[in-house]
């Protein structure tokens, strides 16, 4: 069926206030880069990420000092009216931190466990078992997150040895890919044997190469029905990280693979962490899977548009829409589906503006200094003068207030999904 992405059937997992898997909309997740022991900076960044649209926020829990502050961070966020679920990222010592700081174990909505460094089993203490039993005790889901860079080397050696005895051995890359998948699936099976339900388990197998990620998740998704978390780990900085993440995740999402995503961008020095949230949202929205904020259509510019005014207006409008969304989301139903056009000349300007909910066609070089505005396909007004930007912004705000109904407690969720058909692979 045209226009429908067929999602793989997966277990539905409830994480605090968020539902993922089972055909639910793909969830956008992010992670702080603050020292979790610093309550103020961590609360501030979690709030910023949530305001940008992150539906889950992962925080590092790596020291007793960090674990001791998690409950305070949760309480502060609740006081601010921010109910975004917090995910604890544990490595090496997570079993001890969860045991020693029960308020931390209770405050977190999910635990992330890396089977590559959770610790080796010993007669007197099995770290993995302790973490799973703690999750069961507090009724918390877990993400069993395997990473290429921290894969269990004992497992790799075992599988390499088994591969070497085959009549036609696979190359080392394929064996390593299989080891990633085996680590995730074997750990999930261990968790189930310990008493954890399938619908409390999320799996991920992250690598930093686009083609490897696609190959691993295709294979993983064919072997299980656990909810899957997607992400290209160590994606990089700037356009490289954005392009690589988009290339990898778009292929998998188009194939119906993935229940939650994270864009692991390296932020520029002093840059905002929220960029990774925006990129994740825009991947889903441009694919038609979710709607988060009004989309702006703007032409690239050419010799007809020698003025930079239309570029400045396009940037101003896009920034305005995203800044207003936290307010509009609470006030109006469906505004995230709005489209706005900011065009730079008469060639495609009127046509694109008519196709948008509201659009403006700015004058190009040599054209009459007039900017017609189209509302729902009809010419509404022509703007002139030095305050076109302010007047058009006001028209957009007025359109939102008139067009979209006031949100009520029974209103539909603000983020919507295109029709989904769940099919067996």
């Amino acid at each position: 069926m045209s226009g429908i992405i067929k999602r793989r059937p997966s277990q539905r997992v409830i994480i605090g206030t968020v539902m993922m898997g089972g055909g639910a909309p793909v969830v956008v997740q992010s992670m702080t880069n603050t020292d979790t022991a610093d309550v103020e900076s961590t609360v501030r960044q979690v709030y910023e990420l949530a305001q940008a649209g992150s539906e889950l926020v992962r925080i590092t829990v790596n020291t007793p000092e960090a674990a001791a502050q998690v409950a305070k961070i949760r309480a502060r966020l609740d006081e601010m009216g921010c109910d975004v679920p917090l995910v604890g990222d544990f490595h090496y010592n997570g079993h001890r931190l969860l045991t020693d700081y029960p308020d931390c174990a209770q405050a977190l909505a999910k635990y992330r466990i890396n089977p590559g460094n959770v610790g080796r089993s010993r007669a007197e203490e099995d770290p993995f078992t302790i973490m799973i039993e703690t999750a069961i005790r507090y009724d918390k889901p877990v993400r069993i997150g395997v990473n290429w860079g921290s894969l269990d080397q004992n497992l790799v050696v075992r599988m390499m040895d088994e591969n070497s005895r085959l009549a036609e051995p696979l190359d080392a890359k394929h064996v390593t890919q299989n080891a990633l998948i085996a680590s995730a699936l074997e750990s999930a099976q261990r968790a189930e044997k310990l008493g954890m339900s399938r619908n409390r388990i999320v799996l991920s197998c992250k690598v930093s190469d686009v083609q490897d990620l696609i190959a691993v998740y295709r294979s993983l998704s064919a072997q299980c029905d656990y909810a899957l978390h997607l992400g290209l780990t160590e994606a990089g900085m700037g356009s490289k990280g954005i392009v690589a993440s988009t290339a990898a995740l778009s292929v998998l999402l188009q194939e119906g693979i993935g229940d939650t995503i994270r864009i692991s961008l390296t932020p520029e020095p002093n840059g905002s962490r929220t960029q990774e949230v925006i990129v994740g949202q825009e991947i889903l929205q441009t694919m038609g899977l979710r709607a988060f904020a009004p989309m702006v259509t703007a032409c690239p510019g050419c010799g007809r548009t020698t003025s930079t005014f239309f570029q400045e207006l396009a940037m101003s409008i896009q920034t305005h829409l995203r800044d207003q969304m936290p307010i509009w989301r609470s006030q109006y139903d469906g505004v995230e589906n709005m489209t706005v056009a900011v065009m730079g000349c008469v060639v495609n300007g009127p046509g694109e503006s008519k196709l948008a909910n509201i659009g403006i066609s700015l004058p190009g070089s040599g054209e009459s200094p007039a900017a017609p505005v189209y509302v729902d396909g009809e010419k509404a007004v022509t703007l002139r003068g030095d305050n076109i930007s302010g007047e058009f912004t006001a028209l957009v705000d007025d359109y939102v207030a008139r067009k979209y109904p006031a949100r009520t407690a029974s209103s539909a969720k603000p983020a919507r999904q295109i029709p989904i058909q769940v099919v067996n692979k």
Side-chain angles (χ1 to χ4, degrees), residues 37 61-72 90 93-108 111 130 134 137-138 140:
V61 187
N62 59 334
T63 64
E65 292 77 15
Q69 301 304 322
V70 170
K72 295 178 183 177
F90 295 100
N93 60 351
H95 60 299
R96 292 196 175 280
L97 296 177
L98 287 171
T99 300
D100 294 344
Y101 295 90
D103 57 346
C104 169
Q106 179 61 54
L108 293 168
Y111 310 154
I130 292 172
T134 302
R137 183 181 312 122
Y138 291 100
K140 308 294 182 179

Side-chain angles (χ1 to χ4, degrees), residues 367-388:
E367 295 174 13
S368 173
V373 175
Y374 297 84
V375 176
D376 291 330
E378 300 293 333
K379 184 177 177 181
V381 67
T382 299
L383 303 181
R384 295 181 174 86
D386 298 329
N387 192 32
I388 288 178

Side-chain angles (χ1 to χ4, degrees), residues 260-275:
T260 177
I261 65 172
R262 192 253 170 132
I263 310 300
S264 299
L265 296 180
T266 303
E268 297 178 359
N270 300 315
S272 174
R273 192 72 165 178
T274 59
Q275 184 186 21

Side-chain angles (χ1 to χ4, degrees), residues 207-215 217-218 230-233 235 241-255 257 261 263 283 287:
V207 300
S208 56
D209 178 85
V210 170
Q211 295 297 340
D212 287 336
L213 190 82
I214 293 171
Y217 272 91
R218 280 175 173 166
L230 300 186
L232 190 74
T233 191
I242 294 172
V243 170
S245 294
T246 303
L249 270 59
S250 295
V251 171
L252 293 168
L253 290 167
Q254 187 67 25
E255 295 178 6
I257 299 169
I261 65 172
I263 310 300
I283 289 173
M287 293 184 69

